[in-house]
Amino acid sequence: MEKFESSVKQIPYSVEDVYRNISDLRNLDRVRDRVPEDKLSDFAFDQDSVQVKVAPVGLLKLRIIEREEGKCVKFETEQSPMPFNLWIQVLPVTDTTSKMRVTVKADIPFMLKGMVSGPLQDGVEKIADALSQIPYV
């Protein structure tokens, strides 16, 4: 299993506010207008799952498999060209600020490692950047 981690992102909201929003995927409705339609389409979600078609990868479906109150939300792929787990960790910095890191563990076939490792690391960083810019109120 290969592990990809984002840099730590500072978030100007409390850990409680951030966790409440990332642990219920229906909150994605608030950021639907920020999804770049040229790269992502068929964006759909409910409380526990999200799906999106990513150009040129194809359809990705993820489901929340674990919630650790105020700390972490773990996802697992239900549909993906390459199975992976993703988790979003959030920790308090102060009463009104927190920090976040996104991690992906993927079982990448040896022949594809060189081709997908760079784009996967970039994708993890872009997810973390996007999550750090959401208004968590």
Side-chain angles (χ1 to χ4, degrees):
M1 288 287 248
E2 297 291 317
K3 185 175 180 179
F4 302 89
E5 291 183 327
S6 72
S7 58
V8 174
K9 305 297 180 180
Q10 301 298 317
I11 303 174
Y13 297 95
S14 72
V15 71
E16 294 83 9
D17 288 340
V18 175
Y19 177 80
R20 183 179 60 250
N21 280 276
I22 64 173
S23 65
D24 183 345
L25 298 178
R26 293 175 295 193
N27 290 312
L28 290 171
D29 197 43
R30 295 186 346 210
V31 295
R32 183 186 291 271
D33 61 330
R34 295 183 185 198
V35 174
E37 292 182 23
D38 61 325
K39 296 189 185 338
L40 305 173
S41 61
D42 299 335
F43 187 51
F45 48 86
D46 60 28
Q47 182 175 355
D48 297 317
S49 64
V50 61
Q51 79 171 26
V52 64
K53 189 181 280 183
V54 181
V57 175
L59 188 64
L60 295 178
K61 289 185 182 180
L62 294 124
R63 175 166 300 284
I64 293 176
I65 57 168
E66 186 179 333
R67 291 176 175 92
E68 190 175 347
E69 183 76 33
K71 292 183 180 179
C72 186
V73 178
K74 294 182 181 180
F75 298 81
E76 182 176 77
T77 54
E78 288 189 329
Q79 183 173 341
S80 170
M82 179 180 56
F84 63 89
N85 290 338
L86 177 144
W87 58 97
I88 303 167
Q89 299 163 286
V90 58
L91 295 169
V93 175
T94 68
D95 288 346
T96 59
T97 63
S98 55
K99 58 185 177 178
M100 173 187 291
R101 174 179 284 170
V102 175
T103 304
V104 167
K105 274 192 178 178
D107 193 9
I108 303 171
F110 179 76
M111 300 291 279
L112 296 177
K113 275 185 191 175
M115 192 168 30
V116 301
S117 291
L120 194 48
Q121 181 63 51
D122 290 344
V124 167
E125 197 64 38
K126 286 178 182 177
I127 291 168
D129 284 341
L131 289 171
S132 70
Q133 297 173 20
I134 295 172
Y136 290 101
V137 287

